[in-house]
Amino acid sequence: MGRLEGKKAIVTGAGAGIGESISVFFAREGASVICIDLNGDTVKQTAAQINDAGGTAIAVEADVANEQTFVDAVEMAKTEFGGLTTLVSNAIYDLPYVPITEIPTEGWMRTMDVNLNATYFFCKQRYYQKIYCQLSYWNRYY
């Protein structure tokens, strides 16, 4: 039994690099993982690597700058895994290393959407699910 046995995680930026490594490690330790990345090919490879090794992973090609991504991912965790225990907001958007006067507004906004707002969306959906589960629990007994 792994250290994360029974855990259910969502990892963003799971198509490569640190996000891929986190997803693979979590699965190796027993967690079920929803892998999210903008690059559909690489996120499918991450999930396949996990599934081929006997783990459980679902690949989701989606943009974390879109709040609906997290609504859908949290619902998927509830449906496919029976809940959600762990969030890893790892996706980033890198701006070019140039003077601030040369950064296009669109690039700046994309950075804020992916690097900041996505974490807010993620936590908001998880918090909503936790409250819903707690209310469902109490309603069952009272």
Side-chain angles (χ1 to χ4, degrees):
M1 178 181 265
R3 294 178 285 179
L4 299 177
E5 196 69 38
K7 300 296 183 187
K8 301 141 189 157
I10 297 174
V11 179
T12 67
I18 294 170
E20 176 187 15
S21 296
I22 291 169
S23 298
V24 170
F25 174 79
F26 276 21
R28 188 179 315 130
E29 290 295 324
S32 299
V33 185
I34 295 175
C35 305
I36 301 176
D37 202 282
L38 190 58
N39 185 322
D41 293 335
T42 60
V43 77
K44 288 174 188 167
Q45 290 172 3
T46 299
Q49 178 183 354
I50 291 168
N51 292 325
D52 290 348
T56 303
I58 300 170
V60 176
E61 178 181 354
D63 186 351
V64 297
N66 179 346
E67 184 173 7
Q68 190 63 41
T69 295
F70 298 105
V71 172
D72 296 344
V74 169
E75 186 60 35
M76 181 181 291
K78 290 188 325 189
T79 302
E80 299 294 325
F81 302 153
L84 177 63
T85 61
T86 308
L87 307 173
V88 179
S89 186
N90 174 72
I92 64 161
Y93 179 80
D94 282 331
L95 283 170
Y97 188 67
V98 296
I100 195 166
T101 55
E102 295 178 26
I103 297 172
T105 300
E106 299 79 27
W108 177 258
M109 298 307 285
R110 180 72 180 160
T111 300
M112 293 298 103
D113 285 342
V114 173
N115 298 2
L116 182 63
N117 295 339
T119 300
Y120 161 74
F121 296 149
F122 208 4
C123 293
K124 176 182 169 185
Q125 289 308 312
R126 174 61 177 116
Y127 184 73
Y128 171 78
Q129 181 203 16
K130 186 173 183 180
I131 294 299
Y132 174 78
C133 290
Q134 287 175 344
L135 290 175
S136 295
Y137 173 81
W138 287 111
N139 288 336
R140 209 171 50 200
Y141 294 102
Y142 295 102

